[in-house]
Amino acid sequence: MPDAHAASLDAHPYDALLLLSFGGPEGPDDVVPFLENVTRGRGIPKERLKEVGQHYFLFGGVSPINDQNRALLDALRKDFAEHGLDLPVYWGNRNWAPYLTDTLREMVTDGHRRILVLATSAYASYSGCRQYRENLAESLAALAAEGLELPKIDKLRHYFNHPGFVRPMVDGVLKSLADLPEDVRDGAHIAFSTHSIPTTAADTSGPLEDHGDGGAYVKQHLDVARLIADAVREETGVDHPWQLVYQSRSGAPHIPWLEPDICDHLEERHAAGVPAVVMAPIGFVSDHMEVLYDLDTEATDKAAELGLPVRRSATVGADPRFAAAVRELILERAADESGRNVTPCALGALGPSHDLCPVGCCPARAPKPAAAGADSPYA
C-alpha cells in the first residue's frame, strides 16, 4: 500500500460502501422471475426463459453468486475491522433480492449521504459499468419520487490491474499448472477467459480515446493476461503460450460477438498438438454460474471428449488480498476527494483507470441517465 494510502484510515467524506452485484436465483421457483428481471423489455416468451434457465436448474435453481457475495461482504467487514476502517458495508443487486432500490432506501434511512459503490465487475464495458450506473440512476429516481433525500454516489474505479485482484489469479494459475500431470505441465497452454460481448459494445467500451477495435474491454483483459503470464514465467521458468478467449455468448446469432469461444479454442489447441490447457477466468470476480456451467461443465466436457487434460483456475472471490485492495481503493478515492495527494496503485501498461466515467464512456444503444459519472443528473 502506498504511503499516501497508509497516512490515514479515514474514509471521509464517504460514510458507507455499497457492494453492487448482478444477483441470481436462490431456488427453482426464482429462476424464471429472475430471468424476467434480466431480460425485461426484450419481449422474450416465458417458455424461452425456461429453456435458458436449464443452466440454473442443473444446479438446483440456485446461483452461487449470492453466497459468494455474502462471503465477500464478510471478508470486507473483517478487513475493515482489523485495520480500523469504520465504514459500514451494504449489499444490493440489479436483478434479485436484495434489490438495489431497497438497499439504497435502507442506506438513506440509516442516515448515509456519501456512498461509494463497489461493482462486482472489474473491467470497462456497458454491461460491466454503465449499466450499473443506469441502475443507480433508476433507483435514485425512485427514491426521489418517494420524497427521500438523495445521497451523493460515487463508483470505485475499475480494479482489473490492482495487485490485490491480479495476484490471487496468478496463484490460481500456478496451482492449476502444478495440478496437471508432470509430463504435460510445461507444455500447457493458458486460455484466459472472459464474458463475450457484442463486438460493437467492445469497440465502444471505455473513454472515447479507447474506442476502436475491442475498445478498453479487450485492452484491459489483454493487459491482465500479460501480467499473469509474465508472473507465471518468472516463478516457474516456463514461458507458457496463452490467448484471450471468450465464453457465455448469448443473443441473436447474426450479431457478431467477441471470439474465439472457449470450446472452439480447446478444439483448435488440441488439433495443434497442445498437451494440456489451463482455463483462467480472469473476467469474473467469483465462481458464479457462467464459470460453473460454461467452464466447469461445457468446456470441461468438451476437453474430456477431446482427451485434452484441462484445469480451471480459481477466481478472486473473497480472497483477503482482494478485500484489502477494496480498502486501498476506498482510501485512495477518499484522499482524492479530500484534496490529499495520492498515488493510485496499478500494475501493467495501462495505469490506473479513471475515477469518474467521462461523457460518452461505454455508451448505451438507447441513452439513459447514469449516476456516478461526469454525465450524471445527480450531482
Side-chain angles (χ1 to χ4, degrees):
M1 183 186 230
D3 289 343
H5 291 238
S8 172
L9 291 186
D10 181 9
H12 180 80
Y14 299 106
D15 55 26
L17 177 71
L18 168 61
L19 175 65
L20 177 54
S21 194
F22 192 81
E26 305 245 40
D29 293 340
D30 296 343
V31 172
V32 171
F34 162 73
L35 292 173
E36 287 175 332
N37 288 342
V38 174
T39 61
R40 184 175 288 113
R42 301 183 200 172
I44 299 177
K46 184 170 288 190
E47 291 306 311
R48 173 58 182 151
L49 294 179
K50 289 180 181 177
E51 294 175 17
V52 174
Q54 291 306 312
H55 295 180
Y56 291 97
F57 292 127
L58 286 173
F59 296 89
V62 178
S63 170
I65 195 171
N66 298 309
D67 280 343
Q68 289 160 6
N69 280 326
R70 293 182 184 104
L72 180 55
L73 282 171
D74 289 343
L76 291 171
R77 289 166 178 157
K78 181 175 184 289
D79 178 270
F80 293 1
E82 289 177 348
H83 292 85
L85 179 60
D86 184 16
L87 194 71
V89 187
Y90 293 75
W91 169 35
N93 290 322
R94 285 168 48 180
N95 299 299
W96 202 248
Y99 288 104
L100 172 58
T101 301
D102 295 335
T103 300
L104 277 179
R105 184 185 300 109
E106 178 187 1
M107 297 176 82
V108 169
T109 302
D110 289 346
H112 299 297
R113 296 295 180 266
R114 290 295 305 270
I115 296 170
L116 263 177
V117 173
L118 167 68
T120 54
S121 176
Y123 301 85
S125 70
Y126 170 75
S127 58
C129 183
R130 186 176 181 88
Q131 193 169 14
Y132 282 104
R133 294 176 49 225
E134 291 176 353
N135 297 143
L136 286 166
E138 290 168 0
S139 293
L140 288 171
L143 297 187
E146 297 173 12
L148 294 175
E149 182 180 350
L150 298 187
K152 186 180 187 305
I153 294 179
D154 291 323
K155 179 178 174 290
L156 287 172
R157 66 177 171 89
H158 301 304
Y159 46 84
F160 63 93
N161 56 2
H162 194 287
F165 185 69
V166 174
R167 186 64 222 188
M169 293 190 291
V170 172
D171 290 347
V173 171
L174 289 170
K175 183 177 179 181
S176 292
L177 285 168
D179 192 49
L180 283 168
E182 189 173 357
D183 60 333
V184 299
R185 186 179 304 148
D186 286 355
H189 171 87
I190 306 174
F192 292 108
S193 184
T194 190
H195 206 300
S196 184
I197 61 175
T199 56
T200 53
D203 290 346
T204 57
S205 62
L208 290 172
E209 61 268 20
D210 288 333
H211 292 178
D213 290 345
Y217 186 75
V218 172
K219 288 180 184 177
Q220 290 171 359
H221 281 87
L222 286 172
D223 204 41
V224 172
R226 289 189 191 98
L227 284 167
I228 297 173
D230 288 349
V232 168
R233 182 183 64 250
E234 290 170 7
E235 297 189 33
T236 65
V238 179
D239 191 7
H240 290 274
W242 62 270
Q243 186 170 336
L244 178 63
V245 302
Y246 303 92
Q247 61 175 88
S248 312
R249 178 194 165 126
S250 61
H254 68 279
I255 297 175
W257 284 53
L258 292 173
E259 296 178 338
D261 174 78
I262 178 64
C263 290
D264 295 339
H265 183 66
L266 292 176
E267 288 186 338
E268 188 272 333
R269 289 292 80 203
H270 177 257
V274 166
V277 173
V278 168
M279 301 182 293
I282 62 172
F284 306 91
V285 172
S286 63
D287 290 2
H288 51 60
M289 188 57 69
E290 282 86 349
V291 176
L292 291 188
Y293 184 79
D294 296 317
L295 293 184
D296 292 355
T297 304
E298 227 178 23
T300 299
D301 287 351
K302 171 58 70 175
E305 174 190 317
L306 297 169
L308 177 67
V310 295
R311 297 293 185 272
R312 197 269 291 173
S313 66
T315 53
V316 172
D319 191 290
R321 291 168 292 184
F322 181 47
V326 173
R327 168 171 42 85
E328 292 180 19
L329 288 166
I330 291 167
L331 296 176
E332 170 194 303
R333 184 62 178 272
D336 185 66
E337 287 290 310
S338 300
R340 303 192 302 271
N341 290 329
V342 62
T343 303
C345 192
L347 302 174
L350 299 182
S353 184
H354 48 263
D355 278 334
L356 192 68
C357 291
V359 176
C361 194
C362 302
R365 284 179 294 177
K368 295 181 181 179
D375 53 357
S376 172
Y378 301 99

